[in-house]
Amino acid sequence: MKSLNQWRADEYDNQLAFVSGYGKNLISWLQPQKGEYILDLGCGTGDLTYEISLAEAEVVGMDASPDMIRRAREKFPDIEFMEGDGHQFETNRPYDAVFSNAALHWMRNPRLVVDSIWKSLKPGGRFVAEFGGKGNVQIIVDALEEVVERNTGIRASERNPWYFPSIGEYSYILEQSGFVVRQAYHYDRPTRLVDGEQGIVGWLAHFGGDYFAGISHDEIQKICHETSQIVLPHLWKEDAMYADYKRLRMEAVKPES
Ligand code: BEZ
């Protein structure tokens, strides 16, 4: 199903800047080298694509959202960006590495994604990614689905747009394609939200669109308020709400032969 989320580049760069902020650390797993040809899959507005380019690698950013790609081109005119779907992309020039931060959990058919990545890599090429892992934002998802269902009768779990696998599940998919998994890491990364006690409302407005299809504006407001009430005692720490993010970080290699 195509996501109903509006990928608004302004919000992404302002309220959601933590997405690429946290991702900088992932570049230490990629270790881009001068002259390497690298794909940043799900590049958003291009901040990490740019960071990778600082290593003098030749990096290309790809994202399914035209708005994100437009903004990325404005911000970084010297870098190549293209629209593309992670489930089905091809390249005439194989990459030395494919990198992806905070994007793969939106791609609901991981076998197709991994297959596209495999085909796009040179022998010896590497795949480095971080995205939501098993149990990611579970407190938020449970509360939201309960509230949507109670208010509308919609079976909200059927609208869940995300894929949050365990190390075992994702390693299996990688190995089935032929990858050798080098490193895998599942960890908690509580993520500070802006706007104090209203923090979750902004988060839901940006990311929760799939749950709200066909629901009136007033009802959405009510659902966000009730969800916020439920999660607040669980997610409030000292001075802010912290979303219960859990990350899965993977490094895999396409063997030489
Ligand atoms: C994440 O980065 O983990 C995430 C982002 C949006 C919705 C759900 C999870």
Side-chain angles (χ1 to χ4, degrees):
M1 178 171 112
K2 192 162 167 28
S3 174
L4 297 170
N5 285 285
Q6 298 298 308
W7 285 104
R8 291 178 293 261
D10 284 348
E11 270 179 28
Y12 194 81
D13 274 352
N14 299 324
Q15 273 176 289
L16 303 164
F18 65 79
V19 176
S20 51
Y22 280 116
K24 282 186 190 171
N25 180 265
L26 180 62
I27 297 175
S28 66
W29 276 36
L30 177 67
Q31 297 193 11
Q33 304 295 314
K34 183 174 177 176
E36 279 189 327
Y37 187 48
I38 297 177
L39 175 67
D40 179 6
L41 178 58
C43 63
T45 61
D47 290 344
L48 296 182
T49 326
Y50 171 71
E51 289 292 324
I52 294 167
S53 77
L54 296 179
E56 296 183 58
E58 188 183 342
V59 59
V60 177
M62 181 192 286
D63 203 284
S65 158
D67 195 30
M68 292 289 176
I69 290 297
R70 200 176 312 117
R71 174 58 59 89
R73 286 178 179 144
E74 280 165 16
K75 283 165 68 177
F76 306 110
D78 295 337
I79 297 179
E80 185 186 340
F81 291 98
M82 58 190 169
E83 276 178 47
D85 177 357
H87 293 94
Q88 45 179 17
F89 66 93
E90 290 178 3
T91 180
N92 293 328
R93 183 180 162 200
Y95 300 105
D96 293 291
V98 174
F99 173 90
S100 183
N101 178 58
L104 297 182
H105 48 246
W106 292 102
M107 301 177 199
R108 293 298 305 247
N109 192 330
R111 284 174 202 283
L112 290 182
V113 176
V114 168
D115 205 38
S116 294
I117 293 167
W118 169 270
K119 288 184 191 142
S120 76
L121 280 170
K122 288 178 186 169
R126 58 208 191 277
F127 169 45
V128 171
E130 180 165 311
F131 56 110
K134 192 172 175 63
N136 192 38
V137 292
Q138 193 70 52
I139 292 172
I140 300 171
V141 168
D142 287 349
L144 177 61
E145 292 185 354
E146 185 219 305
V147 171
V148 168
E149 212 150 321
R150 178 157 40 79
N151 278 276
T152 66
I154 291 167
R155 285 157 73 101
S157 59
E158 291 175 5
R159 293 187 164 195
N160 185 323
W162 302 307
Y163 168 65
F164 300 137
S166 65
I167 287 179
E169 189 179 340
Y170 209 71
S171 296
Y172 181 70
I173 292 171
L174 288 167
E175 287 173 355
Q176 277 202 316
S177 280
F179 280 104
V180 173
V181 176
R182 282 259 182 88
Q183 302 191 70
Y185 184 38
H186 183 280
Y187 68 102
D188 290 355
R189 198 203 67 200
T191 296
R192 195 177 201 277
L193 302 178
V194 294
D195 287 346
E197 295 193 3
Q198 291 301 304
I200 199 65
V201 175
W203 190 93
L204 289 173
H206 189 82
F207 292 128
D210 293 84
Y211 284 103
F212 301 139
I215 301 177
S216 72
H217 177 75
D218 287 353
E219 261 184 321
I220 294 173
Q221 302 281 90
K222 184 163 183 278
I223 288 166
C224 289
H225 176 72
E226 288 181 19
T227 304
S228 186
Q229 297 293 107
I230 295 174
V231 302
L232 190 62
H234 301 282
L235 302 183
W236 185 264
K237 308 261 156 51
E238 289 174 14
D239 61 341
M241 282 183 104
Y242 287 79
D244 54 330
Y245 276 40
K246 295 185 190 305
R247 315 315 284 166
L248 182 62
R249 186 178 281 205
M250 308 285 305
E251 181 196 353
V253 174
K254 178 174 179 170
E256 293 281 354
S257 57

